Amino acid sequence: AQSVTQLDSQVPVFEEAPVELRCNYSSSVSVYLFWYVQYPNQGLQLLLKYLSGSTLVKGINGFEAEFNKSQTSFHLRKPSVHISDTAEYFCAVSWSNQFYFGTGTSLTVIP
Amino acid sequence: GAVVSQHPSWVICKSGTSVKIECRSLDFQATTMFWYRQFPKQSLMLMATSNEGSKATYEQGVEKDKFLINHASLTLSTLTVTSAHPEDSSFYICSARPSSGSRTDTQYFGPGTRLTVL
């Protein structure tokens, strides 16, 4: 079975500071990995995805994530956050055409 | 590209009535669409997988007679909440996976529909 763990339910960070949102997954097979962002009362927007190849993936809005197979992690990072980055972030694993979501991390950027 | 729309964006209805929510892929065809439910401050819960031209596959614990899914074309899936009750109030989100091309591995999400049952 596949599962996704987002260890931090809430992450407050000051504006222009760096941030890392953690995601770990458990799977005995190769999976695809995704990060989505959800703004209040909206659907999910794809930030980035890892399918294969380079383990460092760059996405939209200055976010990037690194796939670490040995640690089964796919942490999301941004070197300098902006107020507009305040949102809910979901890590997801895709396997056998199904998506498995983490419980989400609420990022709050403090001015 | 890869835009998914939902209609309506929000709906309020009386208990006992039925509500239909539409999910459309605007610029791609989707053989498979997914319906999720999201409670406040929680993650998405997959309700069912909608396949064009065939019956939907429901997740365990989801009543298929209550949540009717119809995927009549490659760009449209509908979710009908029948005899809605207050406990059905939630945020319903659909997603669609492109049938062909380089993006078949990715789900693209609609903006969601807020359902409130009084």
Side-chain angles (χ1 to χ4, degrees):
Chain A
Q2 327 305 323
S3 68
V4 181
T5 303
Q6 291 182 246
L7 293 170
D8 307 303
S9 59
Q10 295 184 353
V11 173
V13 62
F14 286 104
E15 190 175 15
E16 296 184 3
V19 70
E20 177 180 83
L21 306 183
R22 297 181 291 170
C23 173
N24 288 87
Y25 68 95
S26 65
S27 174
S28 58
V29 298
S30 295
V31 296
Y32 298 149
L33 298 158
F34 301 78
W35 274 99
Y36 286 87
V37 60
Q38 185 181 33
Y39 298 101
N41 297 311
Q42 296 186 28
L44 274 67
Q45 180 181 4
L46 178 66
L47 273 179
L48 47 79
K49 61 184 178 181
Y50 172 79
L51 307 178
S52 65
S54 173
T55 57
L56 183 63
V57 180
K58 293 189 183 296
I60 63 172
N61 301 341
F63 284 93
E64 63 180 32
E66 186 159 18
F67 169 59
N68 188 318
K69 187 175 182 179
S70 62
Q71 297 184 5
T72 59
S73 68
F74 191 54
H75 300 332
L76 181 70
R77 303 186 184 99
K78 185 169 182 177
S80 176
V81 294
H82 190 267
I83 294 291
S84 59
D85 293 322
T86 294
E88 193 80 15
Y89 291 80
F90 292 96
C91 180
V93 162
S94 174
W95 178 79
S96 189
N97 297 322
Q98 289 254 15
F99 266 51
Y100 301 86
F101 284 91
T103 51
T105 297
S106 178
L107 173 65
T108 301
V109 180
I110 305 164
Chain B
V3 178
V4 176
S5 70
Q6 276 183 247
H7 178 80
S9 56
W10 60 271
V11 57
I12 301 173
C13 69
K14 291 182 178 180
S15 185
T17 61
S18 295
V19 174
K20 179 185 283 188
I21 303 170
E22 292 186 348
C23 177
R24 293 180 185 272
S25 55
L26 299 184
D27 52 0
F28 63 96
Q29 293 184 332
T31 306
T32 306
M33 292 185 174
F34 303 85
W35 286 96
Y36 295 86
R37 184 172 180 178
Q38 186 180 34
F39 292 101
K41 303 295 184 182
Q42 294 188 27
S43 188
L44 281 71
M45 181 190 78
L46 178 65
M47 298 175 65
T49 302
S50 170
N51 300 294
E52 187 267 336
S54 64
K55 292 183 178 180
T57 304
Y58 290 81
E59 295 299 300
Q60 191 172 10
V62 178
E63 299 176 60
K64 59 183 178 183
D65 293 331
K66 181 169 185 61
F67 298 99
L68 301 178
I69 292 172
N70 186 354
H71 194 154
S73 76
L74 288 173
T75 59
L76 173 64
S77 175
T78 60
L79 168 69
T80 301
V81 183
T82 62
S83 187
H85 290 283
E87 57 266 29
D88 299 323
S89 299
S90 190
F91 195 51
Y92 293 87
I93 303 176
C94 75
S95 70
R97 189 174 67 222
S99 302
S100 62
S102 61
R103 304 173 303 184
T104 57
D105 47 75
T106 302
Q107 289 187 26
Y108 295 93
F109 287 81
T113 296
R114 174 76 58 193
L115 171 63
T116 301
V117 184
L118 302 177

